[in-house]
Amino acid sequence: MEDRFNFLKQRYLSLKEEIENACSKTGRNLSEVQLIAVSKKHPAQDIAYLYQLGHTVFGENYVQEALDKQKQLNDLNLNWHFIGSLQTNKVKFVVGNFTVIHTVDREKLVSSLAKQCQKKNYCQKILIQVNVGREPQKAGVLPEGLEKLTEIVLDQKGLKLEGLMTLPPYTENKHQIRKYFSFLRELKEKLEQKFSIQLKELSMGMTHDFKEAIMEGATMIRIGTKIFGPRE
Ligand SMILES: *Cc1c(COP(=O)(O)O)cnc(C)c1O
């Protein structure tokens, strides 16, 4: 138990240091980059340990697993983000239970979320997920469908569009990774112009590419392995 706490502490503190370095290297303010600790497939106890270290923001991918952990950790003041793929039949369990839903990528999901928000009289913050690498196996709206989907989201009262999210193709090529991230940033800027809106969030960057994401303007980085170690 003690060992696990020390393991997490060491990894968490060294990650925080790397984030700080990446920010100062690119002249970004540390407060602009929110760290979401991705705790999927790790036990509630790990989250409690991170909380002891002062961390309160967690990302989860699977609805049931997330709700179980929320229940177990009910007395902690935690901030949950939903970052997994979302089926419409699970929408009712997600609306109102997560600060931000990062993975909105199709019209059917938008109307389902909007309906649930209306029912609960709740305003849900969301991000639109974009498939920047056009990978057939990945979720996310294709870049050419983004404007249309944005228009549909903006038409819904209960949804507050906060920005964009992506999970780019895996590559070791840092130059290529940065191109995917800058592409997402440009898409966000285009939407802001076209719809005269402000979108503050760019959710991008994980264990292997968060530094590149910070350089390209990420405001939320989603990091699992680098904190918790490998998943089952
Ligand atoms: C699992 C997951 C992460 C974290 O990935 P790591 O490589 O473990 O940091 C980030 N974002 C999404 C959408 C994920 O599913």
Side-chain angles (χ1 to χ4, degrees), residues 185-200:
R185 190 188 64 234
E186 285 159 18
L187 289 173
K188 178 178 93 86
E189 287 161 2
K190 268 191 212 152
L191 291 180
E192 290 178 317
Q193 271 207 327
K194 159 116 191 157
F195 295 101
S196 301
I197 52 174
Q198 282 278 106
L199 298 173
K200 58 176 204 280

Side-chain angles (χ1 to χ4, degrees), residues 103-111 126-130 140-156 159 161 164 191 195:
T103 47
V104 177
D105 65 353
R106 59 201 187 277
E107 185 171 351
K108 193 165 162 242
L109 181 56
V110 172
S111 29
I126 64 152
L127 306 178
I128 293 180
Q129 180 177 359
V130 186
V141 64
L142 288 173
E144 62 270 27
L146 178 59
E147 269 191 17
K148 172 92 190 299
L149 189 63
T150 301
E151 202 172 335
I152 293 166
V153 169
L154 294 175
D155 264 346
Q156 308 292 339
L159 300 180
L161 181 61
L164 303 179
L191 291 180
F195 295 101

Side-chain angles (χ1 to χ4, degrees), residues 76-105:
L76 307 186
N77 192 7
L78 299 174
N79 203 319
W80 299 92
H81 289 238
F82 190 80
I83 65 169
S85 70
L86 184 54
Q87 293 163 286
T88 48
N89 63 346
K90 301 271 176 70
V91 157
K92 57 177 175 292
F93 305 114
V94 171
V95 165
N97 288 323
F98 294 85
T99 315
V100 182
I101 299 170
H102 290 231
T103 47
V104 177
D105 65 353

Side-chain angles (χ1 to χ4, degrees), residues 57-69:
V57 185
F58 294 88
E60 287 282 341
N61 288 61
Y62 309 104
V63 177
Q64 195 52 54
E65 179 185 337
L67 296 181
D68 287 346
K69 287 176 185 169

Side-chain angles (χ1 to χ4, degrees), residues 41 84 98 109 115-116 121 123-124 148 156 160 187 202 206 208 214 218 221 223 226:
K41 298 192 177 163
F98 294 85
L109 181 56
K115 222 162 94 187
Q116 198 56 224
N121 194 21
C123 185
Q124 177 69 60
K148 172 92 190 299
Q156 308 292 339
K160 175 124 193 341
L187 289 173
L202 278 175
M206 321 193 335
H208 67 281
I214 289 173
I221 53 176
I223 300 187
K226 205 170 168 63

